[in-house]
Amino acid sequence: MRVLVWNEGVHEANNHPADIGEYYPEGMHGAIAAGLRRLLPDAEVSTATLADPEHGLTAEVLARTDVLLWWGHAAHDQVDDAVVARVEEQVLGGMGLLVLHSGHFSKIFRKLLGTTCSLAWRNEGEQELVWTVKPSHPIAAGIPHPLVIPRQEMYGELFDIPDPDDLVFISSFAGGEVFRSGVTFTRGRGRIFYFSPGDQEYPVYQQPEIQQVLANGVRWAAPGPGDRAVPEVSNPPRQWLL
Amino acid sequence: MRVLVWNEGVHEANNHPADIGEYYPEGMHGAIAAGLRRLLPDAEVSTATLADPEHGLTAEVLARTDVLLWWGHAAHDQVDDAVVARVEEQVLGGMGLLVLHSGHFSKIFRKLLGTTCSLAWRNEGEQELVWTVKPSHPIAAGIPHPLVIPRQEMYGELFDIPDPDDLVFISSFAGGEVFRSGVTFTRGRGRIFYFSPGDQEYPVYQQPEIQQVLANGVRWAAPGPGDRAVPEVSNPPRQWLL
Amino acid sequence: MRVLVWNEGVHEANNHPADIGEYYPEGMHGAIAAGLRRLLPDAEVSTATLADPEHGLTAEVLARTDVLLWWGHAAHDQVDDAVVARVEEQVLGGMGLLVLHSGHFSKIFRKLLGTTCSLAWRNEGEQELVWTVKPSHPIAAGIPHPLVIPRQEMYGELFDIPDPDDLVFISSFAGGEVFRSGVTFTRGRGRIFYFSPGDQEYPVYQQPEIQQVLANGVRWAAPGPGDRAVPEVSNPPRQWLL
Amino acid sequence: MRVLVWNEGVHEANNHPADIGEYYPEGMHGAIAAGLRRLLPDAEVSTATLADPEHGLTAEVLARTDVLLWWGHAAHDQVDDAVVARVEEQVLGGMGLLVLHSGHFSKIFRKLLGTTCSLAWRNEGEQELVWTVKPSHPIAAGIPHPLVIPRQEMYGELFDIPDPDDLVFISSFAGGEVFRSGVTFTRGRGRIFYFSPGDQEYPVYQQPEIQQVLANGVRWAAPGPGDRAVPEVSNPPRQWLL
């Protein structure tokens, strides 16, 4: 299984916030990739960022990627539309996609979902509690109920997304808001998992339980053998009931 | 439209808690019915309780009821199985059903859903915030976001229900728990709405916004003309493609 | 209620197929609008086509439209992207949308759904049987089971759409194929109904049962009072649990 | 993985129809088990029938069963209610369940679903075409589109079930009817797959593609490590937001 962790990398490059290098010495993508390598020893995990040529998302790279993780925030608009179209085509053709936190406003997520993906937010380092509401879902396997994140940005409803295929997690925050924090979708043959915890200001991706959710998500989203094919229009002859 | 508010009425009869008569001088069913009469002036609203002959749920009464509301808590086991079967048949045949609060453990709700309907609970009079997550749903029309309930029993996840057709509301509590507090189901031709706020210890059903949710729910659950028919097995001849 | 029937109108303008003027002397939009006027006497029904200035879809017109019906086939690419964006914004803000037949490949439908919307097709005038699988859905009210269309283009699975909110109708064709022919979605606050029967070569929109489905769909998709508002990002202060 | 194929075994015992012994020399359960052994070499596959003590479904047997397959038709009423309750408890606690063909009217399926599970039927040996409508679902992996069954009993809509979690297959029949022939549900922690093809009169379970669907279903329904636990009510103290 080949996994690619994509991070725009702008916060890291700008050292903003100032302590991001302390939380994430290898960048958020580095921390995420390290967690996946620990939990999915059979997977080949690599990383790419906005600054890479073609954002590190060439046609060749995408074609051999089973699951792509996407973190973006400050530079959604700088992602090339041609690259977005390429990612979209691969997802529709079966590549798994995990969209993380502020990636809710990424071009690729909004394009696949068809809604504004807007939400309520407040950044005061509140405690977040992540509750499992579908315990039989593979993504929830082994996750504590609740999963406690000591300090995190608040994301609250209304989260403007289509009804998800599965609602796996709901979060509450110290300020009283709630959020559908773990939701799955299918677009074409591709499985998509959105997971909201994780932010450039807090070391969320260093938490082992968060890493477990991401590893579960990667395993769940990976296409099976023979699963890669974009659905196409066809014009079959009359052949069944004659 | 004919609406029947059913309440087991045991808390009221036993004056337990002691101040229930202060919050609900006409019983919880009385308060609920009054709210519906105010908001649905074209509806004929009546009430029934466990102590009535056949619990007030004779075949004749049910056959002309468009929407039944169900509140039970202390006496689920005293509801006659024959009456439950009668209600079930009417729901499958198109009668609307609103199940309230501790009615999650009623025989009728568990029978229609097929799960344990268990949940987490704590009765410490915590603030509940009811957040709308499907604003286009008719049940959410005109409801504040959040709807604030000053003091209420906590109901928390995991709520063991099948995936609902629509998730309309999610609640959070002062203690940090979350709950899918407004969910819809279809069974046979019947529309079902479960709404968790409301308890014998707090005057929740006196809140105008709560009454609005219930009135919205009744309107949504009511069958249209020609909607009353239990689905039946059939053995049609070959008649279409010959 | 204000209803707008939009038809690209290219087949009609080109007299292609040659007998379209016989089936649809006022165009397909004319036939659809006539059916709606008959069944929804309280609605104000108007029509617009591709050839109209701004395709008849100015900001003013859309702002006061409750439900838009969309038929397109030969000229999807000629629909102005700015107009599509305008329609999208209104749907996300609560305007109802009915997408008809070959409209599955329209810009607006693909944008809102996020998939290819591809399918299998064959145009040999086969009998289509439309079976109701959710009889309690308002769109199915009064529709025969099956609804028989004597001659129609075959649309078959795989229909590359996201899982619908509700699957109302499934069709079979004389050649043996099946199709999810009546499906609903929500995007933002807007209710969307896709209905596949109807084609420029067959007088399907003249069938009273088909007109009934469309009238049911319009009533179902219409926003309630206060429903028009595009979901927006917000940054609320901490105000609930203090 | 431990798999148990349960068949009432009444048709086989009564040699009815007369040629059942020709199609199924080891009974339908024997054919199903053989297919699973071929495709899931790591699974331990056993069988049980109605005539076995406690129908072969003792508490011990069920506790160590990962996935149970259920075929019944002529003797639903003879299945002991205590055994049904035992199976129900295990499903709610995570055991996978595959319900086959006429098992739609079994006590266990109706209890878990909460509806009548009625349908239309006609037994004239018509061709059935099984179309995949969710190609990314693991149950559809490697299944032809359509899967052709030369002769089979017709099962048609309306199939009175709750909205499934996933609609994987839709069938059409030579007579023009359609049927949601492959559907999944979750009840408690248990994954349920209903698959309609298969009948005592036709050698459907000998078809390799049908066996592949069942093997896919077993793999999909099997609980993961730590997944076996019936959801229970709890009364947690206030401990998160203090």
Side-chain angles (χ1 to χ4, degrees):
Chain A
M1 184 164 56
R2 289 187 182 112
V3 182
L4 178 58
V5 182
W6 192 89
N7 175 14
E8 60 176 35
V10 171
H11 287 288
E12 290 88 344
N14 294 343
N15 228 21
H16 176 78
D19 51 4
I20 190 170
E22 181 186 327
Y23 292 149
Y24 294 118
E26 314 291 329
M28 284 182 279
H29 47 298
I32 292 168
L36 295 177
R37 288 188 189 108
R38 177 176 66 83
L39 291 162
L40 302 171
D42 54 328
E44 180 187 308
V45 181
S46 52
T47 64
T49 67
L50 185 69
D52 294 331
E54 302 189 44
H55 313 326
L57 300 169
T58 62
E60 295 70 34
V61 164
L62 288 170
R64 60 187 171 80
T65 296
D66 291 301
V67 182
L68 175 68
L69 295 92
W70 191 277
W71 198 102
H73 178 228
H76 293 313
D77 286 350
Q78 297 171 41
V79 179
D80 194 286
D81 286 339
V83 171
V84 175
R86 218 181 266 165
V87 173
E88 180 192 22
E89 189 186 2
Q90 290 297 333
V91 171
L92 296 179
M95 182 179 73
L97 178 69
L98 270 62
V99 176
L100 305 178
H101 191 58
S102 43
H104 72 94
F105 263 159
S106 62
K107 288 179 179 178
I108 183 62
F109 193 57
R110 290 163 64 190
K111 202 165 187 181
L112 288 165
L113 265 57
T115 56
T116 66
C117 301
S118 60
L119 46 71
W121 66 278
R122 179 178 60 241
N123 192 2
E124 301 188 3
E126 294 164 53
Q127 179 177 272
E128 174 174 359
L129 302 169
V130 185
W131 302 90
T132 295
V133 298
K134 190 143 191 176
S136 64
H137 199 288
I139 293 179
I143 305 306
H145 180 72
L147 187 168
V148 181
I149 304 175
R151 303 183 69 240
Q152 165 71 347
E153 184 181 23
M154 185 282 288
Y155 272 15
E157 299 284 345
L158 178 75
F159 187 21
D160 180 31
I161 51 173
D163 279 5
D165 287 9
D166 280 307
L167 174 62
V168 184
F169 302 118
I170 298 174
S171 288
S172 65
F173 292 83
E177 280 88 356
V178 299
F179 195 67
R180 289 169 289 170
S181 51
V183 284
T184 71
F185 303 90
T186 307
R187 289 297 178 270
R189 300 179 80 115
R191 283 187 274 272
I192 302 168
F193 175 52
Y194 173 80
F195 187 58
S196 62
D199 186 86
Q200 70 279 5
E201 297 205 26
Y202 313 104
V204 176
Y205 296 122
Q206 304 286 9
Q207 272 191 251
E209 311 96 307
I210 296 289
Q211 294 176 345
Q212 187 66 60
V213 170
L214 298 184
N216 289 350
V218 164
R219 231 182 333 232
W220 168 83
D227 266 7
R228 298 297 283 266
V230 180
E232 285 187 347
V233 74
S234 66
N235 181 213
R238 189 165 164 170
Q239 57 192 309
W240 303 110
L241 303 177
L242 298 171
Chain B
M1 185 164 55
R2 289 187 181 111
V3 182
L4 178 56
V5 182
W6 191 90
N7 175 15
E8 61 176 32
V10 171
H11 287 288
E12 289 87 345
N14 295 343
N15 229 20
H16 176 80
D19 51 2
I20 189 170
E22 182 188 323
Y23 292 149
Y24 294 118
E26 314 292 330
M28 283 181 281
H29 46 299
I32 293 167
L36 295 178
R37 287 187 191 108
R38 177 176 64 85
L39 291 161
L40 302 172
D42 53 329
E44 182 187 308
V45 181
S46 53
T47 64
T49 68
L50 185 68
D52 294 331
E54 301 190 47
H55 313 328
L57 301 168
T58 62
E60 294 71 34
V61 164
L62 289 170
R64 60 186 172 80
T65 296
D66 290 301
V67 182
L68 175 67
L69 294 91
W70 193 277
W71 198 101
H73 177 230
H76 293 313
D77 286 350
Q78 297 172 39
V79 179
D80 194 285
D81 285 340
V83 172
V84 175
R86 218 180 268 164
V87 174
E88 180 192 20
E89 188 186 1
Q90 290 297 335
V91 173
L92 296 179
M95 182 178 73
L97 179 68
L98 269 63
V99 176
L100 306 178
H101 190 59
S102 43
H104 73 94
F105 263 160
S106 62
K107 288 180 180 178
I108 184 63
F109 193 58
R110 290 163 64 190
K111 203 165 186 180
L112 288 165
L113 264 58
T115 56
T116 67
C117 300
S118 59
L119 46 72
W121 65 278
R122 179 177 61 241
N123 193 1
E124 301 188 1
E126 292 164 55
Q127 179 177 273
E128 174 173 358
L129 302 169
V130 184
W131 302 89
T132 294
V133 298
K134 189 144 190 173
S136 64
H137 199 288
I139 293 179
I143 305 304
H145 180 71
L147 187 168
V148 182
I149 303 174
R151 301 184 70 239
Q152 164 70 346
E153 183 179 24
M154 184 282 288
Y155 272 15
E157 298 285 342
L158 179 77
F159 188 19
D160 180 32
I161 51 173
D163 278 4
D165 287 9
D166 280 306
L167 174 62
V168 184
F169 301 119
I170 298 174
S171 288
S172 65
F173 292 83
E177 280 86 356
V178 299
F179 195 67
R180 288 169 290 171
S181 50
V183 285
T184 72
F185 302 91
T186 308
R187 289 295 180 271
R189 299 179 81 113
R191 283 187 274 272
I192 302 168
F193 174 52
Y194 173 79
F195 186 59
S196 63
D199 186 87
Q200 71 277 6
E201 299 204 24
Y202 312 102
V204 175
Y205 295 122
Q206 304 286 12
Q207 271 191 251
E209 311 95 308
I210 296 289
Q211 295 176 345
Q212 186 67 59
V213 171
L214 299 183
N216 289 349
V218 164
R219 232 185 330 234
W220 169 83
D227 265 8
R228 298 297 282 267
V230 180
E232 286 186 347
V233 75
S234 65
N235 180 211
R238 188 165 164 171
Q239 58 194 306
W240 303 111
L241 303 178
L242 299 172
Chain C
M1 185 164 54
R2 289 187 181 112
V3 182
L4 178 57
V5 182
W6 192 90
N7 175 15
E8 61 176 34
V10 171
H11 288 288
E12 289 87 344
N14 294 343
N15 229 21
H16 177 78
D19 51 3
I20 190 170
E22 181 187 324
Y23 292 149
Y24 294 118
E26 314 291 330
M28 284 182 279
H29 47 299
I32 293 168
L36 295 177
R37 288 188 190 108
R38 177 176 65 84
L39 292 161
L40 302 171
D42 53 329
E44 182 188 307
V45 182
S46 52
T47 64
T49 69
L50 185 69
D52 293 333
E54 301 189 47
H55 313 326
L57 300 168
T58 62
E60 295 71 33
V61 163
L62 289 170
R64 60 186 170 82
T65 296
D66 292 300
V67 182
L68 175 68
L69 294 92
W70 192 277
W71 199 101
H73 177 228
H76 292 314
D77 287 351
Q78 297 171 40
V79 178
D80 193 285
D81 286 339
V83 172
V84 174
R86 217 181 268 165
V87 173
E88 179 192 22
E89 189 187 1
Q90 291 297 334
V91 172
L92 296 179
M95 182 179 72
L97 179 68
L98 270 63
V99 176
L100 304 178
H101 190 58
S102 44
H104 72 95
F105 263 159
S106 62
K107 288 180 178 177
I108 183 63
F109 193 57
R110 291 162 64 189
K111 201 165 187 181
L112 288 165
L113 265 58
T115 56
T116 66
C117 301
S118 60
L119 45 72
W121 64 278
R122 179 177 59 241
N123 192 1
E124 302 189 2
E126 293 165 53
Q127 179 175 272
E128 174 173 358
L129 302 169
V130 184
W131 301 89
T132 295
V133 299
K134 189 141 191 175
S136 65
H137 199 288
I139 293 180
I143 305 305
H145 181 72
L147 188 169
V148 182
I149 303 174
R151 303 183 69 238
Q152 164 70 346
E153 183 180 24
M154 186 281 289
Y155 271 15
E157 298 284 343
L158 180 74
F159 186 21
D160 180 31
I161 51 173
D163 279 4
D165 287 8
D166 279 308
L167 174 61
V168 184
F169 301 119
I170 298 174
S171 289
S172 65
F173 291 84
E177 280 86 357
V178 299
F179 195 68
R180 288 170 289 172
S181 50
V183 285
T184 71
F185 303 90
T186 307
R187 289 296 180 270
R189 299 180 81 114
R191 284 188 273 271
I192 303 168
F193 175 52
Y194 173 79
F195 187 58
S196 63
D199 187 86
Q200 71 279 5
E201 298 205 25
Y202 312 103
V204 174
Y205 295 122
Q206 304 286 10
Q207 271 193 250
E209 312 96 307
I210 296 290
Q211 294 176 345
Q212 186 67 59
V213 171
L214 298 184
N216 289 349
V218 164
R219 232 183 332 233
W220 169 83
D227 266 7
R228 298 297 283 267
V230 180
E232 284 187 349
V233 75
S234 66
N235 180 212
R238 190 166 164 172
Q239 58 192 308
W240 305 110
L241 304 178
L242 297 173
Chain D
M1 184 165 54
R2 289 187 182 111
V3 182
L4 179 57
V5 182
W6 191 90
N7 175 16
E8 60 176 36
V10 171
H11 287 288
E12 290 87 345
N14 293 343
N15 228 22
H16 177 80
D19 51 3
I20 191 170
E22 181 186 323
Y23 291 149
Y24 293 119
E26 314 292 328
M28 283 181 280
H29 47 299
I32 293 167
L36 295 177
R37 288 189 189 107
R38 176 174 67 84
L39 291 162
L40 302 171
D42 55 329
E44 182 187 309
V45 181
S46 53
T47 64
T49 68
L50 184 69
D52 293 332
E54 301 190 46
H55 313 327
L57 300 168
T58 63
E60 295 71 33
V61 164
L62 288 171
R64 60 186 171 79
T65 296
D66 291 302
V67 182
L68 175 67
L69 295 92
W70 192 278
W71 198 101
H73 177 227
H76 292 314
D77 285 349
Q78 296 171 39
V79 178
D80 193 287
D81 285 340
V83 172
V84 175
R86 217 181 267 163
V87 173
E88 180 191 21
E89 189 187 0
Q90 291 296 333
V91 172
L92 297 179
M95 182 179 73
L97 178 69
L98 271 61
V99 176
L100 305 178
H101 189 58
S102 43
H104 72 95
F105 263 160
S106 62
K107 287 179 178 178
I108 183 63
F109 193 58
R110 290 163 64 190
K111 203 166 186 181
L112 288 164
L113 264 58
T115 56
T116 66
C117 301
S118 60
L119 45 71
W121 65 278
R122 178 176 62 239
N123 193 0
E124 301 188 2
E126 293 164 54
Q127 179 176 273
E128 175 173 357
L129 302 169
V130 185
W131 302 89
T132 295
V133 297
K134 189 142 189 174
S136 63
H137 199 287
I139 293 180
I143 305 305
H145 180 71
L147 188 167
V148 182
I149 304 174
R151 301 183 70 239
Q152 166 69 347
E153 183 179 25
M154 185 281 288
Y155 270 16
E157 297 287 343
L158 177 78
F159 187 20
D160 179 31
I161 51 173
D163 279 4
D165 287 9
D166 280 307
L167 174 62
V168 185
F169 302 119
I170 298 174
S171 289
S172 64
F173 292 84
E177 279 87 357
V178 298
F179 196 67
R180 287 168 290 170
S181 50
V183 284
T184 71
F185 303 92
T186 307
R187 289 295 180 273
R189 299 179 80 114
R191 283 187 274 270
I192 302 168
F193 174 52
Y194 173 80
F195 187 58
S196 62
D199 186 88
Q200 70 278 4
E201 298 204 26
Y202 312 103
V204 174
Y205 295 122
Q206 304 287 11
Q207 270 190 251
E209 311 96 306
I210 297 289
Q211 295 176 343
Q212 186 67 59
V213 171
L214 298 183
N216 289 351
V218 164
R219 231 182 333 232
W220 169 83
D227 265 7
R228 298 296 283 267
V230 179
E232 286 187 346
V233 75
S234 67
N235 181 213
R238 190 166 164 171
Q239 59 193 308
W240 302 111
L241 303 178
L242 298 171

